[in-house]
Amino acid sequence: MYKNINSLTIHKLLTVSLFFLLIACSEVNVPLGKGNLINTSLKTTQLPDGSLEYAVWEPPGYKIGQKLPLIISLHGGGGSHEELESWVPSILEEMAKGDFPAAIWSMPSAGRSFYMNAKDGSADWESVIVDEYIPAVMRQYDITDTNNVVITGVSMGGMGGLRIAFKYPEKFGAVAVLEPAIEAAFNWEALSTSDTFYREDIYTKIFGNPVDPEYWKANHPTAIANAHPRSLDDINIYIEVGDVDNLKLYRGVEFLHRVLFDHGVEHEYRLVRGADHVGSEFMKLRFVNMLGFVNRHFNPIEEGVRSIGLKKLLSATVDDSDFEPDVPLKPHRREHRKDGEL
């Protein structure tokens, strides 16, 4: 199906999909008072252009000095900070229904950088985002509690959000991503065409030419989670992907889910039936579902808090030696299948 489609063609298709996404996210009933959208930049020596452009959205009624949480939103490949505006109508709708709190939102422009420090030193995107950009926004809005900082992202932004959150979990309260562009492997050598076909031209620009396998592994979210699962115990994690994603991202996201599950890292995972990559109507629904998770991070449901507390109490006091461990799951399909059966 993909043999005659090169990565440039796929990039063009994604650009068209993004166009329809922006239209779809704008076609909603927007409550009066749209807040304040600010486009700005910061100077940095870590990028070739000498600056990082970004957008900040202040919700309706925001007053200087008001204590609000911060949500960092990372765009997909080839996008820019201008995409933040397309999400505002959906955010306002959820706020109007009382299903999402007032918050400061911000999005940086990162092109197709993977939000990474390039191996050749030509651009240090991760460093400028973690060490300069996020601290600058936090200072601007007097945000000191990192539990009130959430990082989100879509596609490439989902990959970047996971990597940054997994490498620096102490800096965030939660990470929530849609269709993150991650591969279904622990090692560079194990990647297949199904993992790489849509961006084969990008790897050598970021991971070295030829690709440095160790550098790739050190920056691959699933490999990071597998190597340091206990560092993720205090961060809330939300991952989702469509089961007909045309970039086959369901492979990598499902793989991450299984790794997190088998390590006992608590998280929420959704395999969305019938959802493709990006899309329009479906993407709005999926974005709203993600907002619901983030809202529960800021405003936990009492029943859920009680259930989590009870599970911890039982684990500490009840002799469950008659039960096998919850994780990791045994590879039951392989052990119990008969010849000719799944």
Side-chain angles (χ1 to χ4, degrees):
M1 177 179 178
Y2 295 102
K3 290 182 179 179
N4 297 320
I5 302 179
N6 59 33
S7 59
L8 178 60
T9 301
I10 293 172
H11 178 59
K12 290 179 180 178
L13 291 173
L14 290 179
T15 302
V16 173
S17 297
L18 179 59
F19 171 75
F20 287 111
L21 167 63
L22 300 183
I23 293 175
C25 291
S26 300
E27 291 178 345
V28 294
N29 295 322
V30 182
L32 294 175
K34 297 182 180 181
N36 185 30
L37 185 66
I38 304 165
N39 293 311
T40 185
S41 64
L42 63 80
K43 292 183 179 180
T44 178
T45 60
Q46 300 192 78
L47 299 178
D49 293 341
S51 67
L52 175 73
E53 292 185 309
Y54 65 96
V56 177
W57 181 71
E58 301 169 345
Y62 170 75
K63 296 180 180 179
I64 295 177
Q66 183 179 355
K67 293 288 187 179
L68 294 178
L70 171 63
I71 301 173
I72 300 297
S73 183
L74 305 182
H75 64 74
S80 76
H81 66 284
E82 295 177 355
E83 291 178 24
L84 179 58
E85 185 175 6
S86 69
W87 294 119
V88 169
S90 294
I91 298 168
L92 286 169
E93 275 199 338
E94 296 308 296
M95 289 176 60
K97 292 187 294 186
D99 291 339
F100 198 79
I104 301 296
W105 286 72
S106 186
M107 179 180 289
S109 283
R112 297 193 76 192
S113 66
F114 285 19
Y115 299 94
M116 266 193 60
N117 292 347
K119 180 69 165 55
D120 63 8
S122 59
D124 291 335
W125 288 96
E126 179 184 298
S127 294
V128 72
I129 287 170
V130 173
D131 299 333
E132 299 183 41
Y133 157 65
I134 293 177
V137 179
M138 291 178 68
R139 286 193 301 271
Q140 175 69 29
Y141 293 96
D142 194 24
I143 299 167
T144 56
D145 184 356
T146 55
N147 191 56
N148 286 330
V149 181
V150 173
I151 189 165
T152 71
V154 178
S155 192
M156 183 191 81
M159 172 184 61
L162 287 173
R163 181 192 308 107
I164 290 171
F166 287 4
K167 291 177 76 171
Y168 311 96
E170 73 283 356
K171 296 181 180 294
F172 305 96
V175 54
V177 298
L178 307 177
E179 55 188 32
I182 55 177
E183 301 91 344
F186 287 130
N187 303 297
W188 170 255
E189 296 84 356
L191 295 189
S192 70
T193 302
S194 293
D195 296 304
T196 63
F197 72 93
Y198 64 97
R199 58 182 184 190
E200 291 177 339
D201 59 321
I202 303 296
Y203 287 101
T204 55
K205 298 177 182 178
I206 296 172
F207 298 101
N209 191 5
V211 167
D212 182 335
E214 290 304 313
Y215 194 65
W216 180 89
K217 184 175 182 178
N219 289 282
H220 178 46
T222 307
I224 296 169
N226 189 55
H228 308 288
R230 298 284 66 83
S231 69
L232 306 179
D233 285 341
D234 294 325
I235 186 171
N236 281 325
I237 301 170
Y238 178 94
I239 54 176
E240 69 91 74
V241 68
D243 70 348
V244 290
D245 186 295
N246 62 29
L247 302 188
K248 299 181 177 290
L249 298 184
Y250 42 79
R251 301 175 73 258
V253 183
E254 172 72 23
F255 185 59
L256 172 60
H257 160 61
R258 295 184 186 189
V259 169
L260 294 175
F261 187 91
D262 282 349
H263 279 298
V265 177
E266 296 174 349
H267 65 290
E268 184 167 327
Y269 167 57
R270 297 190 182 196
L271 181 62
V272 186
R273 182 72 184 102
D276 200 342
H277 195 73
V278 184
S280 53
E281 296 175 55
F282 232 145
M283 181 53 73
K284 179 182 184 298
L285 174 63
R286 294 162 66 185
F287 179 71
V288 169
N289 287 337
M290 184 196 76
L291 292 183
F293 174 84
V294 176
N295 181 49
R296 283 184 279 122
H297 168 71
F298 294 132
N299 302 293
I301 296 173
E302 287 299 323
E303 181 181 9
V305 174
R306 290 195 301 270
S307 297
I308 292 171
L310 180 60
K311 180 179 180 181
K312 290 181 178 179
L313 178 62
L314 290 174
S315 297
T317 59
V318 176
D319 180 8
D320 58 358
S321 57
D322 291 337
F323 299 91
E324 66 180 33
D326 287 343
V327 295
L329 285 180
K330 293 181 178 179
H332 56 89
R333 292 187 176 214
R334 187 178 307 162
E335 287 185 359
H336 302 302
R337 71 184 180 185
K338 298 178 181 178
D339 289 343
E341 296 181 356
L342 291 178

